């Protein structure tokens, strides 16, 4: 039962001579004799014994094969009958052995690549003297057989990548040696480069420490359509960068202006990466903003009263927002799939906190249900934990509504970016004495604070937000209910 | 590893051993029988020997007032030892020995200076299996091709690093408490502190800052295990240059991590890291990756576990200097050619994991007090795990098992060695066949092996003048593997065609680690291929891979069979 699948079954390929005028020769399947039908006589006149190794047909249904591994590497001496390469067909993996003695001069199709049956996958040279010639042949061969090679590099990329060294040869060379910095490419980038036949030397790394990332290779190979268009621009940008002799990199990344001399690249910390990711994600959400002035005299008076009991302004605002959200559940909802409202059963107020080199949003869970004092105590614990970087995931990612307060810095109003997975975020400015006129035309001085809510317009509409802000404003203006 | 589970359920098994009286058992494999009578004789005998030697150092400590019931029943003279057996180190090896000792009626204590469970449970096989379970699932969910082939649709799979780390940590604590409870329940005394041998049959233990306690035992087993080995020149900061101890906490998932060493530990971590999105660079001192595996399995493993993944490698190089990331600079690794010692390359990566093996943890054991010299840190032992002193003589009543003796650095090997020692001290001579101990690497798919590799077998065959044959089966022909869409895999049997002896079995494929036991049990019990090939396997199961493997072996018709069936037989 298993025998057809045994991987130790071997099969032989026949390599045959190829002179330049010969059409591609047929591979000979397993033990069939070598076919030199077209011009058997000419072969005798060919002096250099350079043979091609073909992708054998291992089964009747096989049209292409994948090179599993090369048992031999370039430069290895082969003797007749030795296994050279393992080929995976549609049915099994087979060791393929050589019919000829010689030296494996070049591998045309690398490991993991696919080639159609009959395509040259390697070049066999008879003597060492012929290796160079064989290699040249391999080079021309791989060029000629490009259409059959799996992913042909698109023309624009191929054209543009070699351009920089050509256009600025005088500068390019000294910089490379001066920097004492070789090209650093990540393992996957190297794999992609090999697969797409991209020369890593010609790619500018945009990763941390200027390393070449898989994205850089994909861009160079023209896999991302947007980048191929940028291709020619790269050449232009390299020119000004080169004479400045930037120390960090020999040239500039394609989409970013060249680094200013002496600048340093500091990679993101994990937290900063997360912030960056969340911020970019927010771009996909259609947001809008509604501002509202809130009179805070009563709130300020209350704050003075409860401050000695350890209540902070943050807790007061969180409580007020939570109570307003109870009445406007849609503002506490979120849109997860673009097709539906996700109403949250709990009101969890996330509050943005700046911590050393980062930003985190500890969450006051069930802020509507807890009383002000408990909430304040909870908040104190959360902040301490955040500073010590000991927050548990549910303590920073369970928010249903976010509060960001920059009032303590004197900021009068600002605009917040909606975090992913939430429906709205409230940006709170400083409370400032403002002259207001009432309905009867009397002027008075009131403390006013501007709040600005950013919301996801797929689920929260202008009127919703206005109504929510009105409720919020009423609660803040009559804060007695906050202490209940 | 698997041994833990079997240890945890050892209580009912021990009852069985005591209750069942030998004649009732079918006598086909005499190795496995436990005779109660024999055990009694053993006590009488051992009681005599230690009464002579104990004249000199009689201790009148409180502990010694209690006398083990079994000894009293046998009418042996009152013992002058606190314990029958003291085990230094409560890892998997010590635990296995302790449980078996209790089963054999020995009054047993175990000394632990750190946490019960040792490396395996706290910083090794156990938490790593949690991470690998996650990586296996991630890998499956991320493989669009694989999912599509099964007709499943999964939207982008993601993970929460802390959640994954918590899973590993929770598993370790759970197994640790299971281990502790199983020993307590059986009445093993757990003594806390670092144990030191102060003289023959005498151990000192205590915590730093507290007065030491001295206890005596008839027999002592050293089972102190090992710690990650860090070659010199490598600066481990625990953040960007780490060992497996740190990596298992999964405090970060670097974008690009270099793994120094491509053995079991390195390979398993490469599986975890690449599944979680890291790119990996292997640094291997030998000329090929995965040294120690059967070459054919290694080649296949490289094709499946390395080449298609975001992994590259440098072989034949030493990492002479590794500097952690600091001052805005990445981790730098200086490589030299392993042969010429010429500088070869400098790598810049985000993190480096040092997986260059493990070093025995035997410092401070007080071996000098009994004239024992360690060899590269390992405690020299004979085939019965009895410690050998500097003059090449056996040290009476002192044994060393597990990583500390370096014979086979695997948790279940330590446990097996411990059980073997307990067998001996209770009077039954026992030599553990290390060639029957399986090993497994829990990558996706898994790798497992038992016995010799093909080159080892051929070398042995040449020396001893017998013939070696190899049989292979592929997972591609197995129904269950194909149902799972996991047909990549190979099972390989190395055997003697003349008598059907199994020399080694190597498996690479789905659940290989669970499949190997049929082969390891066959080797342990001496079962020949011509016998095991008639054993029936449920269909369709992965175990049929081994069934076919045994069936495809060509044993000469002249080879004797234990089964009363004449060959060849059509089935």
């Amino acid at each position: 039962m298993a025998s057809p699948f045994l991987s130790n079954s071997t099969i032989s390929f026949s390599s045959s001579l190829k002179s330049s005028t010969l059409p591609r020769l047929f591979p000979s399947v397993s033990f069939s004799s070598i076919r030199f039908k077209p011009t058997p006589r000419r072969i005798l006149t060919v002096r250099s014994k350079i043979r091609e190794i073909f992708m054998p047909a291992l089964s009747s249904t096989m049209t292409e094969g994948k090179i599993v591994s090369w048992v031999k590497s370039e430069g290895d001496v082969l003797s007749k009958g030795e296994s050279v390469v393992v080929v995976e067909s549609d049915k099994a993996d087979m060791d393929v052995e050589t019919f000829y003695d010689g030296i494996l001069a070049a591998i045309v199709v690398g490991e993991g690549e696919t080639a159609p049956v009959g395509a040259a996958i390697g070049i066999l040279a008879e003597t060492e003297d012929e290796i160079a010639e064989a290699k040249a042949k391999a080079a021309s061969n791989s060029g000629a057989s490009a259409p059959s090679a799996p992913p042909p590099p698109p023309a624009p990329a191929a054209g543009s990548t070699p351009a920089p060294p050509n256009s600025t040869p005088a500068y390019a060379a000294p910089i490379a040696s001066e920097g004492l910095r070789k090209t650093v490419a990540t393992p996957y980038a190297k794999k992609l480069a090999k697969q797409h036949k991209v020369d890593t030397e010609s790619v500018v790394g945009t990763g941390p420490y200027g390393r070449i990332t898989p994205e850089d290779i994909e861009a160079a190979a023209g896999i991302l359509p947007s980048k191929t268009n940028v291709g020619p621009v790269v050449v232009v940008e390299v020119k000004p960068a080169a004479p400045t002799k930037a120390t960090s990199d020999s040239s500039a990344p394609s989409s970013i202006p060249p680094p200013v001399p002496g600048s340093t690249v500091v990679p993101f910390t994990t937290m900063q990466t997360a912030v960056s990711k969340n911020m970019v994600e927010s771009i996909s959400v259609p947001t809008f903003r509604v501002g509202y002035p809130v009179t805070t005299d009563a709130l300020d008076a209350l704050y003075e009263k409860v401050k000695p009991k350890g209540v902070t302004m943050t807790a007061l605002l969180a409580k007020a927002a939570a109570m307003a959200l109870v009445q406007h559940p849609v503002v506490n909802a979120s849109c997860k799939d673009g097709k539906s409202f996700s109403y949250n059963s709990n009101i969890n107020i996330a509050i943005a906190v700046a911590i050393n080199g980062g930003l985190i949003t500890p969450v006051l869970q069930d802020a509507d249900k807890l009383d002000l004092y408990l909430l304040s105590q909870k908040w104190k614990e959360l902040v301490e934990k955040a500073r010590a970087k000991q927050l548990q995931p549910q303590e920073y990612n369970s928010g249903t509504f976010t509060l960001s307060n920059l009032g303590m810095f004197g900021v009068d109003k600002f605009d917040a970016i909606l975090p992913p997975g939430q429906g709205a975020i409230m940006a709170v400015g400083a409370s400032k004495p403002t002259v207001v006129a009432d309905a009867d035309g009397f002027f008075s001085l009131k403390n006013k604070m501007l709040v600005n809510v950013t919301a996801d317009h797929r689920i929260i509409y202008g009127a919703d937000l206005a109504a929510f802000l009105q409720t919020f404003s009423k609660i803040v203006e009559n804060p007695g209910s906050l202490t209940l | 590893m698997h041994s833990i589970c079997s240890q945890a359920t050892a209580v009912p098994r021990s009852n069985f051993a005591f209750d069942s009286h030998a004649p009732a058992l079918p006598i086909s494999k005499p190795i496995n029988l436990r005779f109660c009578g024999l055990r009694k004789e053993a006590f009488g005998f051992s009681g005599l020997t230690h009464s002579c030697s104990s004249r000199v150092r009689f201790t009148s400590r409180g502990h010694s007032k209690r006398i083990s019931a079994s000894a009293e029943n046998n009418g042996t003279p009152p013992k002058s030892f606190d314990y029958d057996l003291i085990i230094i180190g409560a890892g998997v090896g010590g635990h296995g020995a302790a449980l078996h000792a209790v089963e054999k009626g020995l009054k047993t204590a175990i000394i632990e200076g750190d946490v019960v469970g040792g490396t395996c449970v706290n910083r090794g096989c156990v938490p790593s299996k949690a991470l690998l379970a996650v990586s296996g699932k991630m890998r499956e969910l991320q493989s669009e091709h694989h999912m599509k082939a099964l007709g499943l649709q999964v939207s982008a799979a993601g993970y929460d690093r802390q959640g994954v780390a918590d899973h590993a940590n929770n598993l370790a604590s759970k197994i640790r408490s299971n281990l502790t409870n199983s020993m307590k329940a059986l009445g093993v005394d757990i003594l806390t502190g670092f144990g030191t041998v102060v003289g023959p049959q005498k151990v000192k233990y205590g915590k730093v800052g507290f007065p030491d306690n001295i206890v005596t035992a008839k027999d002592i087993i050293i089972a102190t295990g090992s710690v990650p080995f860090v070659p010199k020149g490598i600066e481990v900061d625990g953040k960007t240059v780490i060992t497996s101890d740190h990596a298992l906490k999964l405090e970060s998932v670097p974008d690009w991590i270099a793994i120094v060493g491509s053995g079991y530990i390195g390979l398993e971590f490469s599986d975890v890291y690449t599944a979680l999105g890291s790119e990996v660079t292997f640094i291997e001192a030998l000329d090929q990756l995965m040294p120690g595996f059967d070459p054919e399995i290694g080649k296949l493993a490289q094709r499946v576990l390395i080449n298609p993944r975001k992994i590259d490698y440098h072989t034949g190089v030493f990492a002479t200097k590794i500097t952690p990331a600091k001052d805005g600079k990445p981790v730098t690794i200086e490589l030299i050619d392993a042969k010429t010692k010429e500088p070869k390359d400098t790598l810049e990566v985000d993190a480096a994991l040092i997986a260059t093996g493990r070093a025995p943890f035997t410092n401070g054991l007080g071996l000098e007090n009994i004239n024992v010299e360690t060899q590269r840190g390992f405690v020299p032992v004979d085939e019965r795990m009895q410690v050998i002193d500097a003059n090449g003589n056996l040290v009476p009543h002192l044994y060393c098992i597990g990583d500390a003796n370096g014979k086979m650095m695997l948790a279940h090997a330590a446990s097996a060695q411990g059980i073997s020692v307990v067998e001996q001290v209770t009077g039954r001579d026992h030599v553990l066949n290390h060639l029957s101990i399986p090993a497994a690497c829990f990558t996706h798919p898994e790798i497992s092996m038992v016995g010799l590799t093909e080159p080892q077998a051929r070398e042995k065959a040449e020396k001893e003048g017998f013939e070696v044959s190899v049989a292979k089966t592929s997972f591609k022909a197995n129904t269950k593997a194909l149902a799972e869409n996991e047909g990549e895999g190979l099972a390989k049997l190395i055997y003697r065609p003349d008598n059907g002896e199994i020399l080694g079995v190597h498996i690479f494929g789905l659940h290989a680690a669970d499949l190997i036991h049929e082969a390891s049990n066959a080797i342990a019990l001496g079962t020949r291929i011509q016998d095991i090939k008639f054993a029936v396997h449920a269909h369709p199961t992965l175990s049929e891979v081994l069934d076919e493997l045994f069936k495809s072996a060509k044993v000469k018709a002249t080879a004797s069979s234990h089964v009363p069936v004449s060959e060849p037989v059509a089935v």
Side-chain angles (χ1 to χ4, degrees):
Chain A
M1 190 157 142
S3 54
F5 299 98
L6 289 185
S7 67
N8 63 345
S9 49
T10 58
I11 198 157
S12 302
F13 67 83
S14 78
S15 50
S16 30
L17 309 182
K18 183 180 175 185
S19 73
S20 52
T21 54
L22 271 178
R24 175 169 296 141
L25 285 169
F26 297 100
S28 72
V29 180
S30 57
F31 308 107
S32 67
S33 59
I34 312 162
R35 308 188 207 171
F36 296 124
K37 262 191 209 155
T39 48
R41 232 161 227 296
R42 287 183 64 171
I43 281 138
L44 300 172
T45 65
V46 174
R47 253 183 265 143
S48 76
K49 292 277 171 49
I50 296 166
R51 297 182 167 101
E52 289 188 350
I53 301 173
F54 293 126
M55 173 62 75
L58 300 176
S59 70
S60 53
T61 53
M62 178 173 167
T63 54
E64 59 170 29
K66 186 175 165 191
I67 307 288
V68 168
S69 61
W70 280 93
V71 180
K72 301 287 176 182
S73 16
E74 289 185 9
D76 281 1
V77 178
L78 311 179
S79 52
K80 201 170 143 185
E82 257 188 310
S83 288
V84 181
V85 60
V86 182
V87 171
E88 182 184 83
S89 74
D90 51 346
K91 292 216 171 58
D93 297 348
M94 304 233 189
D95 283 356
V96 179
E97 57 192 46
T98 170
F99 274 5
Y100 295 93
D101 293 343
I103 297 160
L104 183 60
I107 288 172
V108 179
V109 180
E111 287 182 10
E113 292 176 43
T114 313
V117 168
I121 55 175
I123 305 284
L124 195 66
E126 190 152 282
T127 63
E128 280 187 24
D129 307 335
E130 287 153 7
I131 291 179
E133 195 185 334
K135 279 195 169 156
K137 193 166 211 165
S140 67
N141 198 301
S142 64
S145 66
S148 65
S160 67
T161 33
N166 291 344
S167 56
T168 56
Y171 299 114
I175 285 159
S177 56
E178 185 191 68
L180 281 176
R181 207 185 166 90
K182 61 196 171 58
T183 339
V184 177
T186 72
Y188 187 45
K190 276 188 231 161
K191 266 187 189 157
L192 281 176
K194 204 173 158 196
Q195 193 184 337
H196 298 297
K197 304 202 164 56
V198 171
D199 179 12
T200 50
E201 298 295 326
S202 67
V203 176
V204 176
T206 64
Y209 316 107
R211 74 170 67 127
I212 297 168
T213 63
E215 292 78 25
D216 295 334
I217 300 293
E218 283 177 345
I223 291 176
L224 302 178
S226 59
K227 295 272 182 169
T228 26
N229 299 338
V230 182
V233 183
V234 177
V235 184
V236 181
E237 279 184 350
V238 171
K239 277 182 184 167
T244 60
K245 300 195 177 180
T247 48
S248 58
D249 290 306
S250 58
S251 52
S254 56
S255 55
I256 302 166
V260 177
S263 67
T264 51
V265 177
V266 180
F268 281 159
T269 60
T270 320
M271 186 188 280
Q272 288 159 345
T273 309
V275 171
S276 165
K277 185 172 153 278
N278 282 347
M279 293 304 98
V280 171
E281 245 172 62
S282 71
I283 294 173
S284 63
V285 177
T287 54
F288 74 113
R289 292 143 191 96
V290 174
Y292 205 100
V294 180
T295 310
T296 61
D297 296 76
L299 187 73
D300 294 340
L302 176 70
Y303 179 50
E304 287 308 315
K305 245 195 277 172
V306 293
K307 204 173 167 183
K309 293 175 188 164
V311 176
T312 59
M313 189 48 119
T314 305
L316 277 169
L317 289 170
K319 180 73 183 168
M323 287 176 68
L325 286 170
V326 173
Q327 297 181 39
H328 301 274
V330 72
V331 184
N332 193 47
S334 64
C335 181
K336 298 218 152 64
D337 52 5
K339 284 184 257 172
S340 60
F341 294 78
S342 295
Y343 286 99
N344 294 302
S345 49
N346 297 21
I347 294 177
N348 298 337
I349 307 286
I351 302 166
V353 176
I355 63 167
N356 189 24
L359 167 67
I360 195 152
T361 52
V363 175
L364 282 170
Q365 291 177 338
D366 294 317
D368 57 323
K369 299 199 181 79
L370 294 181
D371 75 43
L372 197 53
Y373 306 102
L374 263 175
L375 217 51
S376 303
Q377 200 187 331
K378 194 93 179 283
W379 179 244
K380 213 178 137 206
E381 288 168 19
L382 284 172
V383 171
E384 274 166 16
K385 270 181 152 181
R387 298 244 152 88
K389 299 194 174 170
Q390 281 169 350
L391 284 179
Q392 295 300 307
Q394 77 274 9
E395 288 174 323
Y396 59 79
N397 62 16
S398 61
T400 57
F401 179 90
T402 302
L403 196 66
S404 180
N405 184 2
L406 291 180
M408 56 287 227
F409 301 112
V411 169
D412 64 342
K413 65 173 178 191
F414 70 104
D415 182 28
I417 292 183
L418 184 65
Q422 293 181 22
I425 177 169
M426 179 187 272
V428 182
S431 184
K432 289 198 298 196
T434 314
V435 178
V436 292
D438 66 14
D440 300 324
F442 290 108
F443 285 92
S444 59
L445 205 58
K446 299 262 189 219
N447 284 333
K448 287 256 180 198
M449 143 184 117
L450 285 170
V451 298
N452 193 8
V453 178
T454 306
D456 181 345
H457 208 307
R458 290 174 298 177
I459 52 167
I460 302 165
Y461 308 153
D464 297 328
L465 219 47
F468 163 73
L469 282 165
Q470 212 172 12
T471 310
F472 176 75
S473 159
K474 272 198 190 126
I475 293 169
V476 170
E477 282 163 18
N478 301 290
S481 60
L482 292 177
T483 54
L484 292 180
Chain B
M1 288 191 183
H2 300 97
S3 53
I4 295 156
C5 305
S6 61
Q7 298 308 334
T9 55
V11 191
R13 192 185 64 186
S14 67
N15 290 340
F16 169 75
F18 279 104
D19 296 342
S20 67
H21 286 277
L25 294 168
I27 305 174
S28 57
K29 301 275 181 281
I31 307 168
N32 259 5
L33 285 177
R34 295 191 178 94
F35 291 97
C36 296
L38 193 74
R39 186 170 56 79
K40 284 177 186 166
E41 282 167 21
F43 271 97
F45 174 69
S46 55
L48 283 175
T49 47
H50 74 63
S51 64
C52 319
S53 57
S54 65
R55 275 176 308 188
V56 198
R57 49 198 155 270
F58 178 81
T59 52
S60 58
R61 294 178 56 85
H63 289 292
S64 59
K65 282 178 193 156
R66 279 191 13 214
I67 296 160
S68 126
S70 56
E72 203 169 43
N73 288 348
N74 285 332
T76 47
K79 303 210 305 178
S80 43
F81 291 105
D82 299 332
Y83 292 99
D84 295 321
L85 179 66
I86 284 183
I87 301 159
I88 307 177
V92 169
H95 177 258
L99 259 57
H100 193 63
V102 172
E103 185 184 325
K104 288 283 178 182
L106 300 186
K107 185 172 187 287
T108 309
I110 196 159
I111 301 177
E112 179 55 60
D114 187 25
V115 280
V116 171
T119 297
C120 172
V121 172
N122 299 292
R123 298 172 301 272
C125 4
V126 170
S128 70
K129 292 306 95 52
L131 298 184
L132 283 157
V134 172
S135 83
K137 291 194 167 58
M138 273 303 281
R139 214 169 266 296
E140 219 170 318
L141 292 172
Q142 284 169 340
S143 167
E144 213 178 310
H145 172 73
H146 179 82
M147 284 290 157
K148 233 184 213 162
L150 294 173
L152 289 178
Q153 288 174 350
V154 177
S155 61
Y159 69 93
D160 163 32
R161 184 199 54 76
Q162 190 59 48
V164 178
D166 289 348
H167 172 51
N169 193 27
N170 293 343
L171 179 70
S173 11
K174 187 170 181 180
I175 303 294
R176 181 166 61 234
S177 68
N178 283 354
L179 232 61
T180 312
N181 293 341
S182 70
M183 287 197 291
K184 278 188 184 153
L186 289 173
V188 175
D189 284 352
I190 301 176
L191 313 173
T192 313
F194 281 96
T196 306
V197 179
V198 285
Q201 296 171 298
K202 197 188 276 180
V203 175
K204 169 181 91 174
Y205 74 95
K207 287 185 198 164
V208 179
F210 289 90
D212 286 335
N213 300 303
I214 290 183
V215 280
T216 57
K218 187 172 88 55
D219 293 293
I220 297 169
I221 296 180
I222 296 169
T224 45
S226 62
V227 290
F229 169 67
V230 178
K232 63 174 197 270
I234 295 177
E235 187 188 338
V236 171
D237 71 344
K239 295 264 183 273
T240 55
V241 180
I242 58 178
T243 66
S244 56
D245 287 3
H246 310 104
L248 288 165
K249 292 183 188 148
L250 201 72
E251 280 173 350
S252 68
V253 179
D255 289 341
W256 184 5
I257 184 163
I259 298 181
V260 187
S262 64
Y264 297 68
I265 303 175
L267 211 55
E268 289 190 352
F269 274 107
S270 80
D271 195 280
V272 171
Y273 279 118
T274 51
L276 299 183
S278 302
E279 294 183 38
V280 168
T281 295
F282 269 120
I283 296 166
E284 172 58 56
L286 296 175
D287 283 337
Q288 60 178 32
L289 289 177
M290 295 174 266
F293 290 91
D294 182 85
E296 196 167 357
I297 296 287
K299 230 166 84 179
L300 182 64
Q302 179 163 344
R303 258 181 53 200
V304 177
L305 301 176
I306 309 278
N307 296 351
R309 297 186 180 170
K310 296 177 180 179
I311 301 177
D312 69 349
Y313 49 85
H314 299 261
T315 51
V317 290
F318 283 128
T320 45
K321 189 162 186 265
I322 300 185
T323 318
K326 54 186 165 201
D327 309 327
K329 289 201 184 92
V331 175
T332 53
I333 302 174
E334 288 174 22
L335 299 180
I336 62 161
D337 190 291
K339 291 193 191 87
T340 63
K341 310 288 175 210
E342 309 240 319
K344 221 173 162 188
D345 213 338
T346 302
L347 303 181
E348 292 181 356
V349 291
D350 296 322
L353 168 66
I354 313 306
T356 42
R358 301 186 60 88
F361 181 63
T362 52
N363 267 348
L365 255 178
L367 293 171
E368 61 284 353
N369 298 335
I370 41 166
N371 189 32
V372 171
E373 279 175 15
T374 57
Q375 290 162 4
R376 293 178 299 126
F378 293 109
V379 178
V381 292
D382 73 347
E383 57 182 9
R384 289 174 175 79
M385 309 301 139
Q386 196 167 354
V387 174
I388 300 170
D389 73 9
N391 305 326
N393 301 320
L394 292 175
V395 180
H397 306 293
L398 185 66
Y399 300 85
C400 177
I401 61 168
D403 287 3
N405 71 29
K407 270 185 183 288
M408 198 178 208
M409 295 173 84
L410 295 167
H412 48 274
S415 188
Q417 290 171 355
I419 290 167
S420 172
V421 168
V422 171
E423 285 290 302
Q424 283 163 60
V425 301
T426 52
R428 192 176 150 265
D429 190 29
H430 186 271
V431 176
L432 179 67
N433 177 9
H434 282 84
L435 287 175
S436 73
I437 298 180
C441 185
F442 295 82
T443 43
H444 296 92
E446 295 171 343
I447 310 171
S448 62
M449 69 212 73
V450 64
L452 304 174
T453 63
E454 190 178 336
Q456 284 169 345
R458 295 212 181 274
E459 194 187 321
K460 189 178 178 200
E462 197 157 307
K463 239 183 253 165
E464 297 176 14
F466 59 84
E467 205 183 322
V468 169
S469 288
V470 172
K472 281 180 264 189
T473 51
S474 163
F475 279 62
K476 274 180 185 147
N478 181 276
T479 313
K480 191 72 190 309
L482 291 177
E484 300 276 348
N485 203 15
E486 304 262 9
E488 194 83 67
L490 174 77
K492 177 175 176 179
L493 167 69
I494 300 150
Y495 65 101
R496 284 181 66 159
D498 58 339
N499 62 8
E501 185 188 348
I502 300 171
L503 300 172
V505 172
H506 303 264
I507 311 175
F508 175 82
L510 187 63
H511 295 306
D514 293 312
L515 291 176
I516 195 69
H517 297 96
E518 184 168 8
S520 63
N521 287 352
I523 294 179
L525 303 179
T527 314
R528 300 291 162 101
I529 295 168
Q530 58 270 33
D531 299 329
I532 202 169
K533 70 190 281 191
F534 293 106
V536 182
H537 297 70
H539 176 77
T541 58
L542 290 172
S543 69
E544 289 171 288
V545 170
L546 263 76
D547 187 25
E548 274 184 30
L549 188 63
F550 295 133
K551 286 193 165 85
S552 67
K554 291 185 176 56
V555 179
K556 291 198 175 101
T558 51
S560 67
S561 169
H562 292 273
V563 184
V565 189
S566 57
E567 284 189 273
V569 176
V571 229

